[in-house]
Amino acid sequence: LLPQTWTNGINKAGKLALLAWEKETGIELVQINGQRRYGGPPPGWEGGPPPAGTEVYIARLPQDVYEDTLIPLFQSVGKLYEFRLMMTFSGLNRGFAYARYAAPQDARRAIASLHRFPLRRGCAIVVCRSTQKRELVLNGLAASVSRQELEARLHMVTEGIRSVTLHASPCQRQAKLAVLKYRSHEAAALAKKALMEGDLRLGQAGVRVDWLDPQLKQKLQLCEEEEPWPSWAQGGEGLAVPGPVALRLSLQNVLECLNMLCWKHRLRTPLFMTKCVQVNPSGWQQFWYQVLLPGYAVPLSGFTWIFPDGQGQSEHDKAKAVAALHILQLLGESL
């Protein structure tokens, strides 16, 4: 009883003002899963939802401000399709909201007119284009987790999931990470909240969830796009990794070819970094590599699986040879 009394006592005047505004305007607000929504679609709306580029993100809101202040303000610059205010369990807002307009020009007008708008003295709000993120990453999954098992559990606690892909974690040995793609930003945001508050019990120390970082996404795509190379660099469970070729690679031979190509294109001697990031039960070792070409715009990196065959060449040298082949291929295509 005490926690409920404490919650109801927070910002009582603001809540009463909101209820009076709802009654006066006939606007209906629906609260579910930590957010309160108007519209989506609003009364009298005809046709499908608005196109991409119609949603704005609103931040730095005073926590005791509600829709009776915010909706009229954002309606003043264009027709609202939907307004979503993120809420705490105590009845305050979480400091941010989303407004989706009927047309892209309305969203642009909202940003131009209301960014840094002084909602109160000394309180200028932020209004900017919504990024519409739809992908989450789960870190800390056990290496034994299968995609089918993970997908089944996700369907139990989240809605709107479109795809699940598993990858070897570039940061943790004997661990996996998963990329989850949802049908919309709203579905992904609700899933993120549900996963942060729940416990999938798919990792030894708990699973961490966050938005998928663009740099990590690019790194995972590089891993998936590796081409087939030597027999000791082929394996891996469920990952797109190199397969066999007849030619047995020698680091010295490959480096000679790479150095010759770099000299031809006026690039200096390449610098290699390799790191073993995972060993699977059958003995295959996953290596991350990065090659810096002085004079080239960006470092080049990727992943490969190496098998220790005990024939004199170290696993790091094998990883360097695969990296050198990767760079030879890229340079051959781009220079």
Side-chain angles (χ1 to χ4, degrees):
L1 181 62
L2 284 177
Q4 189 66 38
T5 302
W6 173 77
T7 298
N8 289 340
I10 289 181
N11 197 25
K12 189 173 182 179
K15 292 176 182 176
L16 290 173
L18 176 64
L19 290 172
W21 175 78
E22 286 183 89
K23 187 175 180 180
E24 179 185 344
T25 61
I27 282 180
E28 183 180 358
L29 302 176
V30 178
Q31 184 164 342
I32 186 170
N33 293 326
Q35 62 177 284
R36 197 158 57 206
R37 175 195 289 172
Y38 157 74
W45 180 269
E46 296 181 0
T54 53
E55 186 174 83
V56 299
Y57 171 70
I58 308 151
R60 297 187 185 173
L61 293 172
Q63 285 193 279
D64 59 349
V65 168
Y66 297 129
E67 290 88 344
D68 55 321
T69 297
L70 297 172
I71 287 179
L73 175 64
F74 283 86
Q75 278 181 329
S76 69
V77 296
K79 184 176 180 180
L80 278 179
Y81 172 79
E82 182 182 62
F83 190 91
R84 294 183 289 124
L85 183 63
M86 305 301 117
M87 303 298 296
T88 70
F89 74 95
S90 64
L92 296 172
N93 78 63
R94 294 171 59 194
F96 66 100
Y98 295 90
R100 191 174 182 187
Y101 285 92
Q105 58 266 30
D106 293 334
R108 292 193 292 268
R109 192 180 303 115
I111 295 170
S113 305
L114 300 177
H115 179 55
R116 296 184 180 175
F117 180 83
L119 202 59
R120 289 178 181 167
R121 185 175 180 180
C123 179
I125 62 174
V126 168
V127 182
C128 60
R129 186 174 64 88
S130 174
T131 55
Q132 291 286 296
K133 296 178 181 178
R134 298 183 181 188
E135 292 177 302
L136 302 175
V137 59
L138 287 179
N139 265 302
L141 296 169
S144 59
V145 171
S146 69
R147 186 186 63 80
Q148 292 80 3
E149 177 189 7
L150 176 59
E151 194 165 358
R153 295 203 187 188
L154 288 168
H155 277 295
M156 293 173 63
V157 295
T158 71
E159 295 181 0
I161 193 161
R162 288 287 175 85
S163 67
V164 177
T165 54
L166 278 176
H167 306 264
S169 173
C171 305
Q172 295 174 272
R173 293 188 181 187
Q174 300 299 323
K176 289 181 180 178
L177 62 79
V179 174
L180 320 177
K181 188 170 185 178
Y182 285 84
R183 66 167 180 253
S184 66
H185 173 75
E186 180 184 359
L190 291 174
K192 181 174 180 286
K193 182 176 184 294
L195 293 171
M196 289 178 68
E197 294 175 352
D199 184 5
L200 288 177
R201 299 189 182 278
L202 293 171
Q204 295 179 358
V207 178
R208 301 178 306 282
V209 59
D210 208 338
W211 295 109
L212 178 61
D213 180 81
Q215 291 183 338
L216 176 60
K217 183 175 182 177
Q218 185 178 27
K219 186 180 290 187
L220 294 175
Q221 287 172 343
L222 279 173
C223 179
E224 290 179 348
E225 292 169 2
E226 287 178 347
E227 296 293 332
W229 285 323
S231 58
W232 39 254
Q234 62 177 340
E237 299 171 348
L239 292 173
V241 293
V245 294
L247 176 65
R248 179 164 183 80
L249 290 177
S250 157
L251 176 62
Q252 182 178 354
N253 293 340
V254 178
L255 286 182
E256 285 177 0
C257 293
L258 180 57
N259 286 334
M260 188 177 298
L261 187 62
C262 289
W263 176 81
K264 179 180 178 182
H265 292 286
R266 298 183 180 180
L267 299 172
R268 285 175 281 168
T269 304
L271 304 173
F272 290 84
M273 290 179 60
T274 59
K275 182 180 180 181
C276 181
V277 295
Q278 183 181 187
V279 180
N280 73 14
S282 59
W284 288 90
Q285 301 178 15
Q286 190 185 38
F287 276 77
W288 167 83
Y289 60 81
Q290 185 175 80
V291 185
L292 176 63
L293 293 171
Y296 196 70
V298 293
L300 302 167
S301 60
F303 291 85
T304 187
W305 287 90
I306 302 295
F307 189 78
D309 57 6
Q311 296 189 14
Q313 196 172 359
S314 76
E315 284 64 59
H316 280 276
D317 281 350
K318 291 175 183 177
K320 288 179 182 178
V322 171
L325 271 178
H326 185 186
I327 305 311
L328 279 170
Q329 182 184 30
L330 289 176
L331 291 180
E333 292 174 352
S334 62
L335 290 177

